[in-house]
Amino acid sequence: MFSSRLPAHYAPNRLTEAARERRAEGRPVIDLTESNPTRAGFDYPPDLLAPLSAVSALRYAPSPLGLMETRRAVAAEYARQGLEVPAERIVLDASTSDGYSLLFKLLADAGDEVLVPRPSYPLFDHLTRLDLVVPRPYHLDLHGSWSIDFSSVERALTPRTRAVLVVSPNNPTGTFISAAEMDRLAALCAPRGIAIIADEVFADYELEPGASRRAGRAVSRRDVLSFALGGLSKSVGLPQVKLGWIAVAGPDALVEAALDRLELVCDTYLAVSTPVQAAAAELLDRGAAVRSQIAARVATNYRELMSLSPLAPSCGVLRSDGGWYAVMHVPSFEPEEDLAVRLLTTEGVLTHPGYFFDFPRESFLVFSLLPPEASFSDGVTRVLRHFASSAAPA
Ligand SMILES: Cc1ncc(COP(=O)(O)O)c(C=O)c1O
């Protein structure tokens, strides 16, 4: 009766189940997987969402690509990052996930393929399958820091490849795609008629000084059809408000053709509410106060993680250039899932095992850098002490 786009089974994994049980028993959990900024103790101005009740939003004037004043406000966000993007080339959507779906509809027929980075954001499996697109992995290699394994990109390309996805900085590895990598990707994609989709939702959150300046940005491409994704969810910590955007770049004729088609796709759904569009400029402006709190928090937690890591010489924190996550490699005494369940049950700390993100091998743990500083430090210390005091099980 049901579509094969959806999984057949829905049982929660062991870690989710263990966390649910522990919470139901009222036992404390230090949640180092928390990625919802609205639950991480930031000081949101109580009237931050007041602009959503603007009188102008009482009038509905559907505009498929979004209200021009809102697209201008997004263009101003790019200008803040030192990037020039014409408002006419910005398309509004309800979230980044919605943006992926619009772009898959624009670029792919059922069974067409998109290349997705591994390790990366676990939602890609669902996002692609729900639009009948086939995800084909390419690899990020770890040599001190992560970089694109271009031979794996070339191996993954087929005549059905419609787009290459990059996440910059990546969730969870924290790497920005470098300008040289972006050039190389463009040189592979442009002659084959393949688009680049760059998820830049974490672009504002630099952890290593200078990393974002060295990044290759999709909106600057003139040689290959490119789409950059962003949104309020990360840029001002408002995932519940549901506003994202796609900035289109590339050869003028392709950009125009893509915008014509996106207009039809967006007109079919008209998913972005008028109140959020009317409020966007002010939310972006006032939300800067939230962004700076988040930026300070993730930077502090990242430094704390680095400074605590010598507590367990068998563990190592990987360099993270930006974003909300950090990765630690840990000894492989047991499968990652067993380890994550053990850390929860013995230390009371919830972490993400690397396999959630398709790391190439075990064992890695992923930490969200969003939790309040004291509980982040407490949680990380417990994890490191666990490794400092544990030997391989007999
Ligand atoms: C890389 C990446 N892209 C997109 C999103 C989701 O953004 P949105 O809330 O705009 O759909 C996330 C959320 O964690 C993410 O990690």
Side-chain angles (χ1 to χ4, degrees), residues 35 93-98 100 120-124 127 167-171 199-202 229-234 238-240 242-244 324-325:
S35 57
D93 54 39
S95 66
T96 316
S97 296
D98 184 39
Y100 280 115
S120 195
Y121 183 44
L123 211 58
F124 283 144
L127 288 172
V167 184
S168 179
N170 189 27
N171 168 6
D199 181 332
E200 298 177 345
V201 295
F202 293 113
L229 304 179
L232 295 188
S233 176
K234 312 295 185 226
L238 290 174
Q240 75 278 38
K242 294 288 156 200
L243 180 70
W324 291 3
Y325 302 93

PDB file of all heavy atoms in Angstrom, residues 35 93-98 100 120-124 127 167-171 199-202 229-234 238-240 242-244 324-325, ligand 1:
ATOM      1  N   SER A  35      21.100  19.698  18.852  1.00  0.00           N
ATOM      2  CA  SER A  35      21.416  20.588  17.733  1.00  0.00           C
ATOM      3  C   SER A  35      20.297  21.582  17.486  1.00  0.00           C
ATOM      4  O   SER A  35      20.253  22.239  16.450  1.00  0.00           O
ATOM      5  CB  SER A  35      21.730  19.777  16.478  1.00  0.00           C
ATOM      6  OG  SER A  35      20.644  18.944  16.188  1.00  0.00           O
ATOM      7  N   ASP A  93      12.575  29.708   0.279  1.00  0.00           N
ATOM      8  CA  ASP A  93      11.944  28.406   0.535  1.00  0.00           C
ATOM      9  C   ASP A  93      11.612  28.315   2.020  1.00  0.00           C
ATOM     10  O   ASP A  93      11.919  29.236   2.785  1.00  0.00           O
ATOM     11  CB  ASP A  93      12.847  27.251   0.052  1.00  0.00           C
ATOM     12  CG  ASP A  93      14.248  27.305   0.640  1.00  0.00           C
ATOM     13  OD1 ASP A  93      14.364  27.654   1.830  1.00  0.00           O
ATOM     14  OD2 ASP A  93      15.224  27.003  -0.072  1.00  0.00           O
ATOM     15  N   ALA A  94      10.984  27.184   2.407  1.00  0.00           N
ATOM     16  CA  ALA A  94      10.519  27.071   3.785  1.00  0.00           C
ATOM     17  C   ALA A  94      11.613  26.561   4.721  1.00  0.00           C
ATOM     18  O   ALA A  94      11.491  26.670   5.943  1.00  0.00           O
ATOM     19  CB  ALA A  94       9.302  26.149   3.853  1.00  0.00           C
ATOM     20  N   SER A  95      12.671  25.994   4.166  1.00  0.00           N
ATOM     21  CA  SER A  95      13.774  25.465   4.974  1.00  0.00           C
ATOM     22  C   SER A  95      14.824  24.951   3.991  1.00  0.00           C
ATOM     23  O   SER A  95      14.551  24.847   2.789  1.00  0.00           O
ATOM     24  CB  SER A  95      13.302  24.289   5.838  1.00  0.00           C
ATOM     25  OG  SER A  95      12.948  23.197   5.003  1.00  0.00           O
ATOM     26  N   THR A  96      15.968  24.587   4.507  1.00  0.00           N
ATOM     27  CA  THR A  96      16.987  24.029   3.616  1.00  0.00           C
ATOM     28  C   THR A  96      16.518  22.703   3.031  1.00  0.00           C
ATOM     29  O   THR A  96      16.754  22.415   1.853  1.00  0.00           O
ATOM     30  CB  THR A  96      18.296  23.834   4.392  1.00  0.00           C
ATOM     31  OG1 THR A  96      18.518  25.000   5.169  1.00  0.00           O
ATOM     32  CG2 THR A  96      19.466  23.617   3.462  1.00  0.00           C
ATOM     33  N   SER A  97      15.840  21.911   3.856  1.00  0.00           N
ATOM     34  CA  SER A  97      15.329  20.631   3.352  1.00  0.00           C
ATOM     35  C   SER A  97      14.364  20.877   2.191  1.00  0.00           C
ATOM     36  O   SER A  97      14.399  20.179   1.173  1.00  0.00           O
ATOM     37  CB  SER A  97      14.613  19.858   4.458  1.00  0.00           C
ATOM     38  OG  SER A  97      15.536  19.531   5.470  1.00  0.00           O
ATOM     39  N   ASP A  98      13.519  21.882   2.346  1.00  0.00           N
ATOM     40  CA  ASP A  98      12.598  22.256   1.266  1.00  0.00           C
ATOM     41  C   ASP A  98      13.414  22.675   0.037  1.00  0.00           C
ATOM     42  O   ASP A  98      13.075  22.310  -1.099  1.00  0.00           O
ATOM     43  CB  ASP A  98      11.716  23.415   1.770  1.00  0.00           C
ATOM     44  CG  ASP A  98      10.654  23.835   0.774  1.00  0.00           C
ATOM     45  OD1 ASP A  98      10.072  22.956   0.117  1.00  0.00           O
ATOM     46  OD2 ASP A  98      10.405  25.049   0.655  1.00  0.00           O
ATOM     47  N   TYR A 100      16.391  21.643  -0.907  1.00  0.00           N
ATOM     48  CA  TYR A 100      16.894  20.442  -1.600  1.00  0.00           C
ATOM     49  C   TYR A 100      15.796  19.840  -2.471  1.00  0.00           C
ATOM     50  O   TYR A 100      16.031  19.446  -3.614  1.00  0.00           O
ATOM     51  CB  TYR A 100      17.344  19.383  -0.587  1.00  0.00           C
ATOM     52  CG  TYR A 100      18.717  19.615   0.003  1.00  0.00           C
ATOM     53  CD1 TYR A 100      18.888  19.893   1.346  1.00  0.00           C
ATOM     54  CD2 TYR A 100      19.861  19.519  -0.789  1.00  0.00           C
ATOM     55  CE1 TYR A 100      20.156  20.085   1.898  1.00  0.00           C
ATOM     56  CE2 TYR A 100      21.125  19.702  -0.253  1.00  0.00           C
ATOM     57  CZ  TYR A 100      21.262  19.987   1.088  1.00  0.00           C
ATOM     58  OH  TYR A 100      22.513  20.168   1.609  1.00  0.00           O
ATOM     59  N   SER A 120      28.804  12.824   6.108  1.00  0.00           N
ATOM     60  CA  SER A 120      28.030  14.065   6.100  1.00  0.00           C
ATOM     61  C   SER A 120      26.675  13.863   6.773  1.00  0.00           C
ATOM     62  O   SER A 120      26.406  12.832   7.365  1.00  0.00           O
ATOM     63  CB  SER A 120      27.862  14.601   4.686  1.00  0.00           C
ATOM     64  OG  SER A 120      27.434  15.930   4.743  1.00  0.00           O
ATOM     65  N   TYR A 121      25.903  14.879   6.554  1.00  0.00           N
ATOM     66  CA  TYR A 121      24.575  15.076   7.107  1.00  0.00           C
ATOM     67  C   TYR A 121      23.658  13.860   6.819  1.00  0.00           C
ATOM     68  O   TYR A 121      23.407  13.541   5.653  1.00  0.00           O
ATOM     69  CB  TYR A 121      24.092  16.329   6.385  1.00  0.00           C
ATOM     70  CG  TYR A 121      22.778  16.908   6.731  1.00  0.00           C
ATOM     71  CD1 TYR A 121      22.378  17.033   8.044  1.00  0.00           C
ATOM     72  CD2 TYR A 121      21.947  17.378   5.717  1.00  0.00           C
ATOM     73  CE1 TYR A 121      21.175  17.625   8.326  1.00  0.00           C
ATOM     74  CE2 TYR A 121      20.751  17.977   6.001  1.00  0.00           C
ATOM     75  CZ  TYR A 121      20.373  18.083   7.308  1.00  0.00           C
ATOM     76  OH  TYR A 121      19.183  18.666   7.584  1.00  0.00           O
ATOM     77  N   PRO A 122      23.163  13.188   7.854  1.00  0.00           N
ATOM     78  CA  PRO A 122      22.434  11.931   7.625  1.00  0.00           C
ATOM     79  C   PRO A 122      21.099  12.072   6.898  1.00  0.00           C
ATOM     80  O   PRO A 122      20.578  11.082   6.404  1.00  0.00           O
ATOM     81  CB  PRO A 122      22.226  11.363   9.040  1.00  0.00           C
ATOM     82  CG  PRO A 122      22.618  12.414   9.987  1.00  0.00           C
ATOM     83  CD  PRO A 122      23.342  13.507   9.272  1.00  0.00           C
ATOM     84  N   LEU A 123      20.566  13.284   6.814  1.00  0.00           N
ATOM     85  CA  LEU A 123      19.246  13.434   6.193  1.00  0.00           C
ATOM     86  C   LEU A 123      19.266  13.218   4.670  1.00  0.00           C
ATOM     87  O   LEU A 123      18.217  13.054   4.046  1.00  0.00           O
ATOM     88  CB  LEU A 123      18.691  14.834   6.513  1.00  0.00           C
ATOM     89  CG  LEU A 123      17.172  14.977   6.622  1.00  0.00           C
ATOM     90  CD1 LEU A 123      16.610  14.049   7.676  1.00  0.00           C
ATOM     91  CD2 LEU A 123      16.781  16.418   6.939  1.00  0.00           C
ATOM     92  N   PHE A 124      20.473  13.214   4.070  1.00  0.00           N
ATOM     93  CA  PHE A 124      20.521  13.103   2.606  1.00  0.00           C
ATOM     94  C   PHE A 124      19.832  11.850   2.083  1.00  0.00           C
ATOM     95  O   PHE A 124      19.252  11.880   1.001  1.00  0.00           O
ATOM     96  CB  PHE A 124      21.964  13.125   2.102  1.00  0.00           C
ATOM     97  CG  PHE A 124      22.572  14.493   2.106  1.00  0.00           C
ATOM     98  CD1 PHE A 124      23.904  14.681   2.421  1.00  0.00           C
ATOM     99  CD2 PHE A 124      21.804  15.604   1.783  1.00  0.00           C
ATOM    100  CE1 PHE A 124      24.459  15.950   2.429  1.00  0.00           C
ATOM    101  CE2 PHE A 124      22.350  16.872   1.788  1.00  0.00           C
ATOM    102  CZ  PHE A 124      23.687  17.040   2.110  1.00  0.00           C
ATOM    103  N   LEU A 127      16.176  12.766   2.058  1.00  0.00           N
ATOM    104  CA  LEU A 127      15.890  13.890   1.148  1.00  0.00           C
ATOM    105  C   LEU A 127      15.931  13.445  -0.309  1.00  0.00           C
ATOM    106  O   LEU A 127      15.106  13.853  -1.122  1.00  0.00           O
ATOM    107  CB  LEU A 127      16.906  15.018   1.362  1.00  0.00           C
ATOM    108  CG  LEU A 127      16.758  15.821   2.660  1.00  0.00           C
ATOM    109  CD1 LEU A 127      17.944  16.763   2.836  1.00  0.00           C
ATOM    110  CD2 LEU A 127      15.457  16.606   2.666  1.00  0.00           C
ATOM    111  N   VAL A 167      28.669  20.297   1.441  1.00  0.00           N
ATOM    112  CA  VAL A 167      28.205  20.972   2.649  1.00  0.00           C
ATOM    113  C   VAL A 167      29.411  21.716   3.206  1.00  0.00           C
ATOM    114  O   VAL A 167      30.441  21.102   3.480  1.00  0.00           O
ATOM    115  CB  VAL A 167      27.652  19.962   3.686  1.00  0.00           C
ATOM    116  CG1 VAL A 167      27.095  20.706   4.888  1.00  0.00           C
ATOM    117  CG2 VAL A 167      26.582  19.078   3.061  1.00  0.00           C
ATOM    118  N   SER A 168      29.290  23.035   3.336  1.00  0.00           N
ATOM    119  CA  SER A 168      30.462  23.838   3.664  1.00  0.00           C
ATOM    120  C   SER A 168      30.098  24.981   4.608  1.00  0.00           C
ATOM    121  O   SER A 168      29.387  25.899   4.199  1.00  0.00           O
ATOM    122  CB  SER A 168      31.052  24.389   2.357  1.00  0.00           C
ATOM    123  OG  SER A 168      32.159  25.191   2.605  1.00  0.00           O
ATOM    124  N   PRO A 169      30.547  24.941   5.870  1.00  0.00           N
ATOM    125  CA  PRO A 169      31.306  23.856   6.449  1.00  0.00           C
ATOM    126  C   PRO A 169      30.431  22.625   6.641  1.00  0.00           C
ATOM    127  O   PRO A 169      29.236  22.738   6.869  1.00  0.00           O
ATOM    128  CB  PRO A 169      31.787  24.426   7.782  1.00  0.00           C
ATOM    129  CG  PRO A 169      30.840  25.522   8.120  1.00  0.00           C
ATOM    130  CD  PRO A 169      30.341  26.065   6.823  1.00  0.00           C
ATOM    131  N   ASN A 170      31.091  21.489   6.577  1.00  0.00           N
ATOM    132  CA  ASN A 170      30.346  20.225   6.593  1.00  0.00           C
ATOM    133  C   ASN A 170      29.863  19.875   7.998  1.00  0.00           C
ATOM    134  O   ASN A 170      30.532  20.160   8.987  1.00  0.00           O
ATOM    135  CB  ASN A 170      31.272  19.122   6.055  1.00  0.00           C
ATOM    136  CG  ASN A 170      30.555  17.812   5.823  1.00  0.00           C
ATOM    137  OD1 ASN A 170      29.348  17.795   5.576  1.00  0.00           O
ATOM    138  ND2 ASN A 170      31.269  16.709   5.903  1.00  0.00           N
ATOM    139  N   ASN A 171      28.703  19.272   8.044  1.00  0.00           N
ATOM    140  CA  ASN A 171      28.181  18.667   9.269  1.00  0.00           C
ATOM    141  C   ASN A 171      28.410  17.170   9.121  1.00  0.00           C
ATOM    142  O   ASN A 171      27.828  16.571   8.213  1.00  0.00           O
ATOM    143  CB  ASN A 171      26.679  18.996   9.388  1.00  0.00           C
ATOM    144  CG  ASN A 171      25.979  18.189  10.454  1.00  0.00           C
ATOM    145  OD1 ASN A 171      26.613  17.461  11.195  1.00  0.00           O
ATOM    146  ND2 ASN A 171      24.657  18.320  10.520  1.00  0.00           N
ATOM    147  N   ASP A 199      25.449  23.466   0.407  1.00  0.00           N
ATOM    148  CA  ASP A 199      24.719  23.738   1.641  1.00  0.00           C
ATOM    149  C   ASP A 199      25.652  24.543   2.543  1.00  0.00           C
ATOM    150  O   ASP A 199      26.632  24.025   3.071  1.00  0.00           O
ATOM    151  CB  ASP A 199      24.343  22.387   2.266  1.00  0.00           C
ATOM    152  CG  ASP A 199      23.553  22.509   3.550  1.00  0.00           C
ATOM    153  OD1 ASP A 199      23.703  23.516   4.247  1.00  0.00           O
ATOM    154  OD2 ASP A 199      22.809  21.554   3.857  1.00  0.00           O
ATOM    155  N   GLU A 200      25.330  25.832   2.667  1.00  0.00           N
ATOM    156  CA  GLU A 200      26.222  26.731   3.411  1.00  0.00           C
ATOM    157  C   GLU A 200      25.542  27.234   4.682  1.00  0.00           C
ATOM    158  O   GLU A 200      25.815  28.344   5.148  1.00  0.00           O
ATOM    159  CB  GLU A 200      26.620  27.912   2.509  1.00  0.00           C
ATOM    160  CG  GLU A 200      27.383  27.467   1.260  1.00  0.00           C
ATOM    161  CD  GLU A 200      27.715  28.619   0.314  1.00  0.00           C
ATOM    162  OE1 GLU A 200      27.133  29.714   0.466  1.00  0.00           O
ATOM    163  OE2 GLU A 200      28.550  28.413  -0.584  1.00  0.00           O
ATOM    164  N   VAL A 201      24.660  26.408   5.251  1.00  0.00           N
ATOM    165  CA  VAL A 201      23.864  26.904   6.382  1.00  0.00           C
ATOM    166  C   VAL A 201      24.720  27.315   7.581  1.00  0.00           C
ATOM    167  O   VAL A 201      24.324  28.160   8.369  1.00  0.00           O
ATOM    168  CB  VAL A 201      22.772  25.901   6.833  1.00  0.00           C
ATOM    169  CG1 VAL A 201      21.723  25.692   5.753  1.00  0.00           C
ATOM    170  CG2 VAL A 201      23.357  24.581   7.281  1.00  0.00           C
ATOM    171  N   PHE A 202      25.921  26.710   7.693  1.00  0.00           N
ATOM    172  CA  PHE A 202      26.771  27.035   8.851  1.00  0.00           C
ATOM    173  C   PHE A 202      27.868  28.043   8.511  1.00  0.00           C
ATOM    174  O   PHE A 202      28.827  28.199   9.268  1.00  0.00           O
ATOM    175  CB  PHE A 202      27.421  25.753   9.393  1.00  0.00           C
ATOM    176  CG  PHE A 202      26.447  24.782   9.989  1.00  0.00           C
ATOM    177  CD1 PHE A 202      26.206  23.550   9.397  1.00  0.00           C
ATOM    178  CD2 PHE A 202      25.765  25.083  11.160  1.00  0.00           C
ATOM    179  CE1 PHE A 202      25.313  22.647   9.937  1.00  0.00           C
ATOM    180  CE2 PHE A 202      24.861  24.193  11.718  1.00  0.00           C
ATOM    181  CZ  PHE A 202      24.631  22.965  11.107  1.00  0.00           C
ATOM    182  N   LEU A 229      22.665  27.149  -0.507  1.00  0.00           N
ATOM    183  CA  LEU A 229      21.508  27.056   0.396  1.00  0.00           C
ATOM    184  C   LEU A 229      21.836  27.694   1.739  1.00  0.00           C
ATOM    185  O   LEU A 229      22.914  27.475   2.289  1.00  0.00           O
ATOM    186  CB  LEU A 229      21.144  25.588   0.638  1.00  0.00           C
ATOM    187  CG  LEU A 229      20.863  24.720  -0.583  1.00  0.00           C
ATOM    188  CD1 LEU A 229      20.538  23.291  -0.151  1.00  0.00           C
ATOM    189  CD2 LEU A 229      19.702  25.301  -1.367  1.00  0.00           C
ATOM    190  N   GLY A 230      20.894  28.469   2.233  1.00  0.00           N
ATOM    191  CA  GLY A 230      21.048  29.055   3.564  1.00  0.00           C
ATOM    192  C   GLY A 230      19.683  29.218   4.194  1.00  0.00           C
ATOM    193  O   GLY A 230      18.665  28.909   3.566  1.00  0.00           O
ATOM    194  N   GLY A 231      19.646  29.709   5.442  1.00  0.00           N
ATOM    195  CA  GLY A 231      18.341  29.899   6.062  1.00  0.00           C
ATOM    196  C   GLY A 231      18.426  30.419   7.482  1.00  0.00           C
ATOM    197  O   GLY A 231      19.492  30.413   8.103  1.00  0.00           O
ATOM    198  N   LEU A 232      17.267  30.862   7.985  1.00  0.00           N
ATOM    199  CA  LEU A 232      17.197  31.412   9.340  1.00  0.00           C
ATOM    200  C   LEU A 232      17.503  30.364  10.408  1.00  0.00           C
ATOM    201  O   LEU A 232      17.903  30.700  11.518  1.00  0.00           O
ATOM    202  CB  LEU A 232      15.774  31.932   9.620  1.00  0.00           C
ATOM    203  CG  LEU A 232      15.250  33.108   8.809  1.00  0.00           C
ATOM    204  CD1 LEU A 232      13.920  33.582   9.387  1.00  0.00           C
ATOM    205  CD2 LEU A 232      16.245  34.243   8.788  1.00  0.00           C
ATOM    206  N   SER A 233      17.304  29.110  10.039  1.00  0.00           N
ATOM    207  CA  SER A 233      17.459  28.019  10.980  1.00  0.00           C
ATOM    208  C   SER A 233      18.815  28.084  11.691  1.00  0.00           C
ATOM    209  O   SER A 233      18.899  27.956  12.914  1.00  0.00           O
ATOM    210  CB  SER A 233      17.306  26.744  10.159  1.00  0.00           C
ATOM    211  OG  SER A 233      17.518  25.623  10.887  1.00  0.00           O
ATOM    212  N   LYS A 234      19.864  28.289  10.897  1.00  0.00           N
ATOM    213  CA  LYS A 234      21.203  28.362  11.484  1.00  0.00           C
ATOM    214  C   LYS A 234      21.691  29.803  11.565  1.00  0.00           C
ATOM    215  O   LYS A 234      22.378  30.166  12.501  1.00  0.00           O
ATOM    216  CB  LYS A 234      22.205  27.561  10.641  1.00  0.00           C
ATOM    217  CG  LYS A 234      21.740  26.172  10.275  1.00  0.00           C
ATOM    218  CD  LYS A 234      21.576  25.255  11.474  1.00  0.00           C
ATOM    219  CE  LYS A 234      21.231  23.852  11.025  1.00  0.00           C
ATOM    220  NZ  LYS A 234      20.161  23.209  11.737  1.00  0.00           N
ATOM    221  N   LEU A 238      16.815  30.247  14.294  1.00  0.00           N
ATOM    222  CA  LEU A 238      15.347  30.201  14.326  1.00  0.00           C
ATOM    223  C   LEU A 238      14.801  29.110  13.394  1.00  0.00           C
ATOM    224  O   LEU A 238      14.125  29.423  12.399  1.00  0.00           O
ATOM    225  CB  LEU A 238      14.764  31.570  13.932  1.00  0.00           C
ATOM    226  CG  LEU A 238      14.951  32.716  14.922  1.00  0.00           C
ATOM    227  CD1 LEU A 238      14.450  34.031  14.334  1.00  0.00           C
ATOM    228  CD2 LEU A 238      14.220  32.424  16.238  1.00  0.00           C
ATOM    229  N   PRO A 239      15.043  27.827  13.713  1.00  0.00           N
ATOM    230  CA  PRO A 239      14.568  26.772  12.822  1.00  0.00           C
ATOM    231  C   PRO A 239      13.040  26.699  12.738  1.00  0.00           C
ATOM    232  O   PRO A 239      12.491  26.256  11.738  1.00  0.00           O
ATOM    233  CB  PRO A 239      15.145  25.481  13.444  1.00  0.00           C
ATOM    234  CG  PRO A 239      15.445  25.818  14.860  1.00  0.00           C
ATOM    235  CD  PRO A 239      15.774  27.294  14.878  1.00  0.00           C
ATOM    236  N   GLN A 240      12.378  27.159  13.804  1.00  0.00           N
ATOM    237  CA  GLN A 240      10.911  27.034  13.835  1.00  0.00           C
ATOM    238  C   GLN A 240      10.213  28.059  12.963  1.00  0.00           C
ATOM    239  O   GLN A 240       9.030  27.927  12.655  1.00  0.00           O
ATOM    240  CB  GLN A 240      10.416  27.137  15.295  1.00  0.00           C
ATOM    241  CG  GLN A 240      10.415  28.537  15.912  1.00  0.00           C
ATOM    242  CD  GLN A 240      11.770  28.974  16.450  1.00  0.00           C
ATOM    243  OE1 GLN A 240      12.809  28.691  15.877  1.00  0.00           O
ATOM    244  NE2 GLN A 240      11.754  29.684  17.571  1.00  0.00           N
ATOM    245  N   LYS A 242      10.940  28.816   9.860  1.00  0.00           N
ATOM    246  CA  LYS A 242      10.745  28.216   8.526  1.00  0.00           C
ATOM    247  C   LYS A 242      10.934  29.219   7.389  1.00  0.00           C
ATOM    248  O   LYS A 242       9.986  29.552   6.664  1.00  0.00           O
ATOM    249  CB  LYS A 242       9.341  27.562   8.433  1.00  0.00           C
ATOM    250  CG  LYS A 242       9.170  26.377   9.341  1.00  0.00           C
ATOM    251  CD  LYS A 242       9.956  25.230   8.817  1.00  0.00           C
ATOM    252  CE  LYS A 242      10.333  24.218   9.840  1.00  0.00           C
ATOM    253  NZ  LYS A 242      11.455  23.391   9.432  1.00  0.00           N
ATOM    254  N   LEU A 243      12.152  29.679   7.263  1.00  0.00           N
ATOM    255  CA  LEU A 243      12.499  30.468   6.080  1.00  0.00           C
ATOM    256  C   LEU A 243      13.933  30.124   5.676  1.00  0.00           C
ATOM    257  O   LEU A 243      14.853  30.202   6.496  1.00  0.00           O
ATOM    258  CB  LEU A 243      12.391  31.980   6.327  1.00  0.00           C
ATOM    259  CG  LEU A 243      12.758  32.816   5.084  1.00  0.00           C
ATOM    260  CD1 LEU A 243      11.695  32.688   3.989  1.00  0.00           C
ATOM    261  CD2 LEU A 243      12.940  34.297   5.443  1.00  0.00           C
ATOM    262  N   GLY A 244      14.073  29.711   4.438  1.00  0.00           N
ATOM    263  CA  GLY A 244      15.396  29.462   3.886  1.00  0.00           C
ATOM    264  C   GLY A 244      15.500  30.106   2.524  1.00  0.00           C
ATOM    265  O   GLY A 244      14.563  30.787   2.071  1.00  0.00           O
ATOM    266  N   TRP A 324      28.731  23.704  13.835  1.00  0.00           N
ATOM    267  CA  TRP A 324      28.241  23.496  15.199  1.00  0.00           C
ATOM    268  C   TRP A 324      28.682  22.148  15.780  1.00  0.00           C
ATOM    269  O   TRP A 324      28.143  21.708  16.798  1.00  0.00           O
ATOM    270  CB  TRP A 324      26.700  23.535  15.207  1.00  0.00           C
ATOM    271  CG  TRP A 324      26.100  24.879  14.936  1.00  0.00           C
ATOM    272  CD1 TRP A 324      26.757  26.040  14.627  1.00  0.00           C
ATOM    273  CD2 TRP A 324      24.701  25.208  14.956  1.00  0.00           C
ATOM    274  NE1 TRP A 324      25.864  27.063  14.455  1.00  0.00           N
ATOM    275  CE2 TRP A 324      24.593  26.594  14.642  1.00  0.00           C
ATOM    276  CE3 TRP A 324      23.537  24.476  15.191  1.00  0.00           C
ATOM    277  CZ2 TRP A 324      23.356  27.243  14.574  1.00  0.00           C
ATOM    278  CZ3 TRP A 324      22.311  25.122  15.113  1.00  0.00           C
ATOM    279  CH2 TRP A 324      22.220  26.498  14.817  1.00  0.00           C
ATOM    280  N   TYR A 325      29.617  21.471  15.115  1.00  0.00           N
ATOM    281  CA  TYR A 325      29.969  20.117  15.552  1.00  0.00           C
ATOM    282  C   TYR A 325      31.475  19.939  15.630  1.00  0.00           C
ATOM    283  O   TYR A 325      32.237  20.638  14.953  1.00  0.00           O
ATOM    284  CB  TYR A 325      29.391  19.075  14.577  1.00  0.00           C
ATOM    285  CG  TYR A 325      27.892  19.212  14.485  1.00  0.00           C
ATOM    286  CD1 TYR A 325      27.311  20.006  13.500  1.00  0.00           C
ATOM    287  CD2 TYR A 325      27.069  18.635  15.439  1.00  0.00           C
ATOM    288  CE1 TYR A 325      25.950  20.212  13.456  1.00  0.00           C
ATOM    289  CE2 TYR A 325      25.702  18.827  15.409  1.00  0.00           C
ATOM    290  CZ  TYR A 325      25.142  19.616  14.417  1.00  0.00           C
ATOM    291  OH  TYR A 325      23.793  19.818  14.398  1.00  0.00           O
TER     292      TYR A 325
HETATM  293  C1  LIG B   1      24.065  20.620   6.833  1.00  0.00           C
HETATM  294  C2  LIG B   1      22.652  20.945   7.192  1.00  0.00           C
HETATM  295  N1  LIG B   1      21.821  21.419   6.260  1.00  0.00           N
HETATM  296  C3  LIG B   1      20.556  21.745   6.549  1.00  0.00           C
HETATM  297  C4  LIG B   1      20.052  21.576   7.814  1.00  0.00           C
HETATM  298  C5  LIG B   1      18.611  21.888   8.116  1.00  0.00           C
HETATM  299  O1  LIG B   1      18.300  23.196   7.892  1.00  0.00           O
HETATM  300  P1  LIG B   1      16.753  23.619   7.827  1.00  0.00           P
HETATM  301  O2  LIG B   1      16.265  23.687   9.230  1.00  0.00           O
HETATM  302  O3  LIG B   1      16.824  24.963   7.173  1.00  0.00           O
HETATM  303  O4  LIG B   1      16.040  22.603   6.992  1.00  0.00           O
HETATM  304  C6  LIG B   1      20.863  21.059   8.816  1.00  0.00           C
HETATM  305  C7  LIG B   1      20.327  20.850  10.178  1.00  0.00           C
HETATM  306  O5  LIG B   1      20.975  20.338  11.055  1.00  0.00           O
HETATM  307  C8  LIG B   1      22.197  20.743   8.497  1.00  0.00           C
HETATM  308  O6  LIG B   1      23.007  20.219   9.421  1.00  0.00           O
END
